[in-house]
Every structure is written in structure tokens, then in C-alpha cells.
Amino acid sequence: MKTSVFSLGMAAARWGRLAATVLVIAALGACATPSAPYDYTVFKQNRPVSMLVLPPVNETPEVTATYGVLSQVTLPLAEAGYYVVPVSLMDETFRQNGLNNPVEIHDVSPQKLREIFGADAAVYIKVTQYGTGYRVIASETRVTAQARIVDLRTGQLLWQGGATASSSEGRSSSQGGLAGLLVSAVVSQIVETASDTSFKYAGIASQRLLSHRNNGVLYGPRSPNYQKD
């Protein structure tokens, strides 16, 4: 009987400590500060109508990163209500002027870009992650990009942000133990690399980066939601 009482007492103490831990975690979560709302003051003062998306600077080892993102990143801006300078026109214009490197293109002054293309604002993008990698017991395709929107009339920064898309999102854990995880990771890497899964996730990242969302790009003049933000 003494042993049973002692065991019950120990169990009660453990449950008490667990309950206290849960309460502390809940309190910390309740006190967590949400991300501050973006300051759109300058954006609303300038209200661009047209956008020029420059070739993204590729900071990854993957040579396809620049055009994998560029080919899809104009869509969310058009859907948000902006006129976007066609990528083919932008690309050919720079080529005709001897500019093929995104880094050099990003160095062109806002005034010169305005003079050539007539756009109100330019979108500067950096791709920091692109491709499929093997990480010990998991394989993941990840695309991460950062963007800045600069007014070409004034040179002011209107907006900046970043976004990531990954094949590991929502992926359930393997039930086959360590061996199963390793096999799954190898198979995933082979399939995702062979099928150029990076292009798919570049599209998802582009939507998250430049679509209208929490702290995202404001609606443009072609949207029925213009100036309702």
C-alpha cells in the first residue's frame, strides 16, 4: 500500500510539472508579438501603374535559377492589377544594349530604366536558394527569393519582402524507421532533380513573393480592389 501511495504521489508530481510546462508554453505563445504591419506610406504616395521586372540575380549554384523565377514572377503582379513590361521585350532590349548579366542590369540607374522602358517602378529580385538538396535523412527542393520594388521616377524604395517554397511542406514523416527515411530521401532527390521540381516551386515562391497578401504588394490600378487596402 505504501508503494502504491508513493507511486501515485510521484505520478501526480510529474503530471503537475507537465501541466505547469504546458501553461508556460501557452502563456509564451499568447505573448508572442505578431509581425508588424508593413509601412506602405511611400507606396501609396507614389502609386505605380506599370512595373518592370528585372532579371533576378542568381546567388545559387543552379544556372537555371534566374529564368526559372523570371518566367513566372510577372504573373502575380499582373493578377494584382499592374501593367508589367513583357519579359521578352525587357530581355531583348538589354541584350541589344550589351547587358546580359543580371548584376550589371541591376546597376543601371532608375532614371535610365525609366527613360528606356517608361515604367513607373522596377522589381529587383535575388534568388538565394534554388534546387534539390540531400540533407542527412531528407531530400528537399527549395526556392527562396527576395524582392525590392523601387520607384523609377523618384528612386524611392516602395516595398521589399521575401518568400520561400519547399517540397517538404506538409510532407508526412516516414513510418519505416531510419532506413526508410534514407531510402525515401534518395528517391525524392532523384525524382525531384530529374523532373526539375525547382521550376514548380519557383512558381509557388513567386506567387508568395509578389501577390497581394499579408505585408505583400498592394493592389494595382487594374484591380477592382485598388486603393481598398
Side-chain angles (χ1 to χ4, degrees):
M1 180 63 68
K2 291 181 178 179
T3 302
S4 298
V5 172
F6 179 78
S7 299
L8 288 172
M10 291 294 291
R14 284 196 298 269
W15 279 108
R17 288 193 296 270
L18 177 60
T21 301
V22 170
L23 289 173
V24 170
I25 292 173
L28 289 174
C31 295
T33 304
S35 58
Y38 195 87
D39 183 358
Y40 291 101
T41 302
V42 180
F43 202 123
K44 292 179 178 179
Q45 287 173 346
N46 289 271
R47 288 291 181 184
V49 172
S50 55
M51 299 271 193
L52 169 69
V53 180
L54 301 177
V57 171
N58 180 14
E59 296 185 346
T60 80
E62 297 291 334
V63 296
T64 58
T66 290
Y67 285 95
V69 172
L70 179 61
S71 61
Q72 304 180 81
V73 81
T74 59
L75 179 60
L77 288 173
E79 291 178 337
Y82 294 96
Y83 169 76
V84 183
V85 176
V87 169
S88 57
L89 173 62
M90 176 274 299
D91 197 45
E92 184 60 27
T93 300
F94 282 125
R95 289 182 186 277
Q96 291 292 331
N97 286 275
L99 292 174
N100 300 301
N101 188 317
V103 175
E104 295 176 345
I105 292 173
H106 282 217
D107 285 339
V108 177
S109 70
Q111 293 78 13
K112 192 65 177 178
L113 293 175
R114 169 76 173 171
E115 177 186 331
I116 295 172
F117 295 99
D120 295 331
V123 184
Y124 298 77
I125 300 171
K126 287 194 303 183
V127 183
T128 56
Q129 291 180 302
Y130 192 99
T132 302
Y134 180 75
R135 295 174 177 82
V136 186
I137 58 172
S139 178
E140 176 192 28
T141 298
R142 175 180 287 262
V143 176
T144 299
Q146 300 170 353
R148 295 181 299 117
I149 298 180
V150 176
D151 193 287
L152 298 181
R153 299 161 295 185
T154 65
Q156 292 177 291
L157 176 67
L158 304 183
W159 177 88
Q160 61 183 347
T164 296
S166 167
S167 62
S168 66
E169 297 173 16
R171 181 183 294 172
S172 59
S173 59
S174 173
Q175 301 299 315
L178 180 59
L181 288 172
L182 291 171
V183 171
S184 177
V186 172
V187 171
S188 295
Q189 184 179 23
I190 293 172
V191 171
E192 291 177 9
T193 301
S195 60
D196 192 19
T197 308
S198 300
F199 185 80
K200 169 186 174 182
Y201 287 97
I204 297 173
S206 297
Q207 281 288 341
R208 292 175 179 175
L209 181 64
L210 294 175
S211 62
H212 182 83
R213 54 181 174 79
N214 183 38
N215 287 346
V217 177
L218 296 180
Y219 286 116
R222 294 169 181 252
S223 169
N225 296 310
Y226 183 55
Q227 293 187 328
K228 294 180 181 180
D229 302 282

